Amino acid sequence: MERPCLYIVIPCYNEEQVLPITSGMFLEKLNSLMGAGKISEDSRILFVNDGSKDGTWEIICRLAAEDPHYIGISQSRNRGHQNAVLAGLMEAKDRCDITISIDCDGQDDINAMDEMVDAYLDGCEIVYGVRSRRDTDTFFKRFTAEGFYKLMNWMGAEVVYNHADYRLISSRALQELANFKEVNIFLRGMVPLVGFKSTSVYYERHERIAGKSHYPLRKMLSLAFDGITSLSVRPIRLITGLGLVIAVLSFIGVIWAVVSGLMGNTVTGWASTVCIVCLMGGIQLLCLGVIGEYIGKIYLETKARPRYIISDRTWEEP
Ligand code: UDP
Ligand code: MG
């Protein structure tokens, strides 16, 4: 088999502190893979600048001028991590045989790439990078992050446990992923839906080399909610179930009220009535909110706006 051409796709948002350090590590890895004869010489490191407000794009341009293995594209504005990764993957899919997406902060162990490429050479089209330990994350981050995966799966959005967006995808699988036209993208949930032979590679997660995380708890919760509502209708089913349970309980309550009324016991409980009315009001609003979220998504999907807009490239398009 001919040696595959690899593109390492790296989203970057306000990473001027990190990029000068990690870019060298990525190039070293690429060189060692090329040296080992696993990938072809035209492999590249593709940075995706996600509308950074600092000097990230300037750094990418400088790197591209220094070494032909570095290339970069820039999004016209900040669209978030998922859109940045998708933009990079779609840009790469017609130019290479395999892509590996990885964050630029050095948290994911680049040495897992060797195993990923080996798994591809063994016939896998998708290789998930899975964190085996999170010792360097704080207890709080670890607890919330692991809760995130459990909640996702429980809500019907199947994701690979402890796998983020560090993965190898072959261009063949990417061509199929390109047919998933949704604008609400959650790659962790979409890639398993593409199918093909896949496997996992385990690695240890390190601390961020510099700068700080863009995913505090608030963003993580919104990512979880977004992922769930993009991939599954289980929350709506749960609402249906909840409605049924409450209806049955109320029916029993009505029978009880009638029977005790007939037996001459008039009920005094005003407070308990108000409590139940408020509780019901709250539950109804919550359920409406969940349904509204889905309607909002339908609204966005019907508009079918572009998922990313590339404004600059470090090379000249013919
Ligand atoms: N990122 C991005 N756009 C954003 C936020 C983040 O492209 O709007 C990139 C960021 O530069 C990094 C990756 O996504 O390469 C993951 O972000 P971060 O390390 O902050 O998240 P964490 O690892 O803490 O979950
Ligand atoms: Mg990170």
Side-chain angles (χ1 to χ4, degrees):
M1 190 159 100
E2 218 179 291
R3 287 180 299 159
C5 169
L6 167 70
Y7 269 44
I8 302 178
V9 174
I10 308 174
C12 310
Y13 176 57
N14 292 347
E15 301 282 14
E16 62 181 4
Q17 290 183 317
V18 184
L19 218 47
I21 311 170
T22 52
S23 56
M25 296 163 45
F26 289 123
L27 185 61
E28 222 171 275
K29 183 87 262 172
L30 199 76
N31 280 328
S32 92
L33 283 167
M34 289 190 294
K38 287 187 185 173
I39 56 173
S40 70
E41 296 293 326
D42 52 359
S43 297
R44 294 283 179 274
I45 296 168
L46 171 61
F47 293 107
V48 184
N49 171 37
D50 188 18
S52 302
K53 296 180 180 59
D54 62 2
T56 302
W57 180 239
E58 284 69 38
I59 296 176
I60 294 172
C61 292
R62 212 184 57 225
L63 287 169
E66 274 169 19
D67 191 307
H69 291 107
Y70 291 122
I71 56 174
I73 57 176
S74 189
Q75 293 222 80
S76 61
R77 51 160 293 183
N78 180 249
R79 292 292 304 274
H81 178 216
Q82 298 290 303
N83 295 68
V85 175
L86 185 76
L89 293 178
M90 290 302 124
E91 187 74 22
K93 76 178 191 311
D94 301 317
R95 303 167 183 271
C96 63
D97 303 307
I98 41 178
T99 60
I100 294 181
S101 52
I102 185 168
D103 293 350
C104 76
D105 55 14
Q107 281 192 287
D108 299 316
D109 185 7
I110 51 173
N111 294 318
M113 286 187 189
D114 298 70
E115 257 185 87
M116 286 184 172
V117 173
D118 287 343
Y120 169 78
L121 295 174
D122 276 348
C124 289
E125 303 279 341
I126 299 173
V127 187
Y128 301 101
V130 176
R131 297 159 190 177
S132 57
R133 286 195 319 164
R134 279 178 172 265
D135 291 359
T136 54
D137 280 342
T138 60
F139 172 77
F140 182 71
K141 171 88 187 179
R142 197 161 70 211
F143 181 75
T144 50
E146 289 182 350
F148 171 94
Y149 294 100
K150 294 201 177 115
L151 177 74
M152 298 280 310
N153 279 321
W154 188 65
M155 283 292 181
E158 279 171 43
V159 289
V160 178
Y161 190 69
N162 263 341
H163 157 71
D165 284 299
Y166 182 21
R167 71 176 86 76
L168 177 149
I169 313 182
S170 69
S171 65
R172 186 170 154 224
L174 280 176
Q175 301 294 350
E176 301 303 329
L177 183 68
N179 292 327
F180 287 57
K181 299 287 185 200
E182 61 231 70
V183 297
N184 295 287
I185 43 177
F186 187 69
L187 290 170
R188 269 176 247 186
M190 285 160 66
V191 173
L193 295 177
V194 176
F196 289 112
K197 189 170 175 217
S198 67
T199 186
S200 296
V201 159
Y202 295 86
Y203 68 94
E204 284 173 21
R205 184 158 160 98
H206 303 302
E207 256 166 289
R208 213 173 205 288
I209 286 186
K212 59 176 195 298
S213 170
H214 299 99
Y215 278 99
L217 182 62
R218 182 180 53 82
K219 269 207 184 172
M220 212 152 73
L221 279 177
S222 92
L223 183 70
F225 194 56
D226 218 33
I228 291 164
T229 50
S230 297
L231 289 166
S232 141
V233 291
R234 185 166 292 173
I236 294 187
R237 298 237 173 91
L238 288 177
I239 289 177
T240 314
L242 182 71
L244 192 72
V245 169
I246 292 179
V248 169
L249 288 179
S250 319
F251 186 66
I252 295 171
V254 167
I255 293 178
W256 172 77
V258 168
V259 170
S260 66
L262 286 178
M263 284 160 53
N265 307 326
T266 38
V267 184
T268 44
W270 180 86
S272 53
T273 314
V274 171
C275 286
I276 288 182
V277 170
C278 290
L279 175 73
M280 287 311 302
I283 292 176
Q284 282 175 355
L285 282 180
L286 183 87
C287 298
L288 264 182
V290 172
I291 294 168
E293 179 76 14
Y294 282 94
I295 295 177
K297 292 230 151 126
I298 297 169
Y299 176 65
L300 290 175
E301 295 293 346
T302 54
K303 284 184 186 279
R305 286 176 177 156
R307 299 185 286 183
Y308 54 86
I309 298 172
I310 296 172
S311 59
D312 295 290
R313 291 179 169 85
T314 55
W315 67 92
E316 296 292 324
E317 278 288 275

